[in-house]
Amino acid sequence: MDTKELIVENAKRLFALEGYHATSMSIIAKACKKNKATLYHYYESKEVLYNEILSLYLRDLQANIGRRTLLLPDAVDQIKAYITVLVEQESEILAIINRQIIDGFDYLSAENLESLQKIQKSFDAIFKLGIASGVFHMMSPKTVYHIVFGACSHYVLSHDFLKDRQKREDHLFIEELYGIILNTIKVN
């Protein structure tokens, strides 16, 4: 692993565990067994490092959601695909996004804020399609999105940090959450 990859991996883990504010360049340097000057050689600030890490993963998340949902025939299948994509994400990225939502968006680049908004808007579009086709109840897409995102994040984070996450469990969780969400939003 080269130095830049080492910095990104350690910073990603620290931002996920400690949050943006509690993670300093000194702490990241120590985790990398490098000095701060090495970090500043690659990244001019903690904010730039944070946004570069988030940018890489948000673009992938956005692309995965698009690939997995757009070609599906209806909103019901698209919701399940959306849930599946979230569950398959790295726990560190879901933790960072969760912390970002809680902490606010002060240090988030305009590009990353736009990516987060697009990720939510893609869910909104699926949900609105379901409402328009008479499959889903008239509800706030934003509320349902936060329920889905929160449940997926909690599942992934609790299992990854406990080191007992397995694909079989992911499948069971996806089916269970999918059933709960559909029972809540689907018109009988």
Side-chain angles (χ1 to χ4, degrees):
M1 178 179 306
D2 72 9
T3 302
K4 192 168 183 176
E5 290 172 329
L6 180 69
I7 293 167
V8 167
E9 284 305 308
N10 280 287
K12 180 176 63 171
R13 183 179 50 78
L14 288 164
F15 286 135
L17 291 172
E18 304 297 332
Y20 178 83
H21 295 295
T23 303
S24 67
M25 291 296 261
S26 295
I27 292 170
I28 296 168
K30 185 176 180 181
C32 295
K33 296 181 173 78
K34 304 285 181 189
N35 60 41
K36 279 192 340 184
T38 302
L39 269 67
Y40 285 112
H41 171 74
Y42 292 99
Y43 300 98
E44 69 183 56
S45 68
K46 176 175 78 168
E47 188 173 317
V48 168
L49 172 58
Y50 177 85
N51 277 291
E52 185 173 310
I53 291 168
L54 201 51
S55 179
L56 293 169
Y57 289 95
L58 288 177
R59 276 184 266 145
D60 284 347
L61 177 57
Q62 201 175 339
N64 287 337
I65 288 169
R67 258 192 309 277
R68 300 279 285 278
T69 62
L70 288 177
L71 299 177
L72 294 173
D74 60 45
V76 172
D77 291 335
Q78 290 177 4
I79 292 280
K80 185 174 184 180
Y82 197 100
I83 291 169
T84 302
V85 170
L86 288 179
V87 169
E88 291 173 348
Q89 292 307 298
E90 286 186 41
S91 58
E92 289 92 350
I93 297 308
L94 289 179
I96 290 170
I97 294 170
N98 254 341
R99 285 183 176 276
Q100 189 65 60
I101 292 167
I102 292 166
D103 291 347
F105 304 102
D106 295 341
Y107 42 88
L108 195 64
S109 69
E111 176 190 337
N112 284 340
L113 181 57
E114 184 179 330
S115 292
L116 279 174
Q117 290 169 338
K118 285 180 180 177
I119 289 165
Q120 182 175 338
K121 286 178 182 178
S122 64
F123 184 88
D124 293 355
I126 294 168
F127 197 78
K128 288 174 182 175
L129 173 67
I131 291 171
S133 63
V135 177
F136 297 158
H137 291 288
M138 183 69 81
M139 299 172 75
S140 164
K142 186 175 184 175
T143 300
V144 179
Y145 168 78
H146 285 291
I147 291 168
V148 168
F149 189 85
C152 291
S153 296
H154 178 74
Y155 169 78
V156 170
L157 296 174
S158 64
H159 284 76
D160 273 7
F161 288 127
L162 294 172
K163 304 291 185 224
D164 68 351
R165 185 167 163 218
Q166 298 172 356
K167 290 294 179 201
R168 190 172 132 304
E169 291 174 352
D170 286 358
H171 175 74
L172 294 173
F173 172 78
I174 290 165
E175 291 299 324
E176 184 175 16
L177 180 60
Y178 177 64
I180 290 168
I181 294 298
L182 283 184
N183 283 337
T184 303
I185 64 176
K186 195 170 179 191
V187 175
N188 295 335

